[in-house]
Amino acid sequence: MSIKHVGDIEKKNVAAGKDTTIQVLISAQEGPNFALRKFSMQPGGGMPRHTNSVEHEQYVLRGHARIGIGEEDYEVRAGDVVFIPEGAIHYYENIGKEPFEFLCIVPNKADEIKIVGEGC
C-alpha cells in the first residue's frame, strides 16, 4: 500500500508533447494491474496524433481541450470521461485559457507509442 501527495511527485516533460507534463501517481511497480498518471497541458499545448498499444481510461480534472480519436474530434471539459481503445489514433490540444489536466489509467502491459502525424 502506498499513500503520497500529488505535490510530492515529480513532473516530467512529455517528449513528443508541447507544453505538456506527466506525473506517474501509481507506477506499474506499485499497482499490480494498472498505472495511474496525471497529465497537464498549458494553454496551446498538447500531444500530436499517435497510437498506443494499450487502452486509456481518462477523467478530465480541469480545463477545456479538443481530443481527436480516430476520425472524430471531441471537446472535453472537467468532469468528462474518455475511453481510447488500444491502437486508436488520437491527439490532444488545449483550447482553453487555463491548464488542461486529466487522470489517465492504463493497464500494466508493454506500451508501444507511434507518432502518426504532425502538430497537436
Side-chain angles (χ1 to χ4, degrees):
M1 176 170 37
S2 148
I3 297 175
K4 48 194 158 181
H5 190 274
V6 69
D8 297 330
I9 299 171
E10 180 183 12
K11 291 182 181 181
K12 296 182 180 180
N13 289 325
V14 174
K18 175 184 174 194
D19 297 327
T20 299
T21 58
I22 183 175
Q23 290 174 284
V24 178
L25 305 180
I26 299 174
S27 71
Q29 291 73 38
E30 296 170 287
N33 300 304
F34 299 94
L36 175 63
R37 298 109 37 104
K38 180 182 176 192
F39 286 86
S40 182
M41 298 171 189
Q42 296 305 308
M47 288 187 273
R49 290 168 42 90
H50 65 283
T51 62
N52 295 81
S53 58
V54 298
E55 66 189 59
H56 295 12
E57 286 88 7
Q58 301 175 341
Y59 178 74
V60 180
L61 298 168
R62 72 185 270 210
H64 181 203
R66 181 175 300 114
I67 299 177
I69 305 172
E71 299 297 320
E72 300 291 327
D73 290 335
Y74 304 91
E75 287 194 20
V76 297
R77 298 178 188 275
D80 286 338
V81 177
V82 178
F83 174 73
I84 301 173
E86 66 180 66
I89 296 172
H90 58 288
Y91 75 90
Y92 304 83
E93 179 183 6
N94 182 344
I95 57 175
K97 295 182 180 179
E98 67 176 329
F100 173 66
E101 297 180 339
F102 63 94
L103 297 177
C104 182
I105 299 170
V106 294
N108 286 341
K109 296 195 254 180
D111 183 14
E112 185 177 348
I113 302 166
K114 294 181 182 174
I115 304 297
V116 295
E118 293 298 316
C120 295

